Amino acid sequence: MPLVLPLLAGVFAANTVLVNAQIPLYKSFVGKQFTDGFFFYTDRDPANGVVNYVSQSTAESDGLVSWTDSTFKMAADSTKDSESGKGRNSVRLVSREEFGDGVYIFDVNHMPVGCGTWPAAWTTTTKDWPYAGEIDVIEGANANSNTSISNLVSLGLLSPDSRLASASGSSLPGNTTYSGQNAISLHTAPNCPLADRTADSMTGTPGNGDCSGTSEGNIGCGVTIPGKSFGGEFNQNGGGIYAMYRDLRNTSSVQAWFWPRDVTPPAEVLNSTATSVNPSTWGTPTASFKFKYGGCGGQFHRHVIVLNIDFCGDYAEATYTSSGCPGSCEAFVKYNPRAFTEAFFEFRSVRVYGSSWAPATLARPTLSIAFGLLALFSFLLLS
């Protein structure tokens, strides 16, 4: 029996077929609902950033969070130098509830830009990382815009003839070297490679196929998103919508879509009050991840949603100089507050559909699964 069960598990992972079905709304965050559904993380930054995550009371009194009936804004401080021994004041929100398989939609008007910035919207386990998984939906570092670069020049922090400044004007944000491109990525236990991907399986550009969070500097397995997916381009275009479909229990896969604001998404994606969604009707995903081994998806726990604005740290520090940014990342972030007037997120909504340990959609067994069950029952009867 110990040999039969793993084989059968592999049959399920390889042959599960998704049903074309609506996935019901589970949770929605709009406006002030963000402060109700998320808590303000104030511990030390686990990514070693030059940042000081503040409490809700401090964030509200300092104007780092604000909301209307239809938007929520979270920002880093842009008014004063960092306090001695601390990084720049900023906000990191963590959902009070954990979520499982389902569809996660992030409707964003504006994302943080500026040298040293490292904004992210992601889901992660609260224990046993990386074995229980992490999914980065929005992440990038040191992205800029025409405005942020012009601001650096006017503040005397950047030479007008520097590589970064000379790329501004008409070439920015069209120049994605400085505007940035989003990378959607997974971080997992060791020995969880992705299955081979064909060119027509996604519109993004796949990178590393090893998702292990313990190897290759914890870069995970990522897909670079084309177009106005991040930074100055994203903001100048009025933002956009990211949707991530986590279907690990059912198909050992994660898929994601991106619609820039000048592209019309499906009505159920655009409508923040939609009561259900059906990702099987959304066309080719922007990013697609399917594990080679079915057991890898089964290791993922329920996740919290994290929204944060970090500085420097493991990622932005490593790419700071190559991004054309001036001086050292730490000194720049600590002592140049006016360089961070654009370091803010503005969300229209964050919504979760489905969200359970069980598959978010029903599954129809294929013929090979029926034969697998028959083999198992025969084995049990004969043993």
Side-chain angles (χ1 to χ4, degrees), residues 38-51:
F38 289 75
F39 71 85
F40 286 67
Y41 174 97
T42 58
D43 291 341
R44 178 186 177 278
D45 179 33
N48 304 306
V50 182
V51 66

Side-chain angles (χ1 to χ4, degrees), residues 13 15 25 49 68 118 130 253 262 290-291 321 352 367:
N15 294 278
L25 178 67
T68 68
W118 177 7
S253 69
D262 58 356
K290 184 174 178 63
F291 290 115
T321 300
V352 181
L367 188 60

Side-chain angles (χ1 to χ4, degrees), residues 12 27 44 74 152 184 193-194 197 215 233 305 309 316 318 331:
F12 273 99
K27 191 75 70 173
R44 178 186 177 278
M74 53 181 283
L152 292 182
I184 299 175
L194 297 175
R197 294 175 283 186
S215 65
E233 280 195 308
I305 299 171
I309 306 169

Side-chain angles (χ1 to χ4, degrees), residues 136-221:
D136 301 321
V137 181
I138 298 173
E139 184 178 32
N142 300 305
N144 272 287
S145 66
N146 279 334
T147 304
S148 65
I149 293 173
S150 298
N151 187 37
L152 292 182
V153 173
S154 66
L155 292 172
L157 299 173
L158 192 68
S159 170
D161 59 359
S162 68
R163 178 164 57 94
L164 185 58
S166 63
S168 63
S170 61
S171 64
L172 251 177
N175 184 336
T176 56
T177 301
Y178 302 106
S179 178
Q181 287 185 304
N182 187 41
I184 299 175
S185 58
L186 308 186
H187 302 262
T188 69
N191 303 314
C192 281
L194 297 175
D196 292 339
R197 294 175 283 186
T198 59
D200 60 353
S201 65
M202 70 186 85
T203 60
T205 303
N208 179 42
D210 177 11
C211 300
S212 173
T214 62
S215 65
E216 297 190 42
N218 182 28
I219 64 173
C221 51

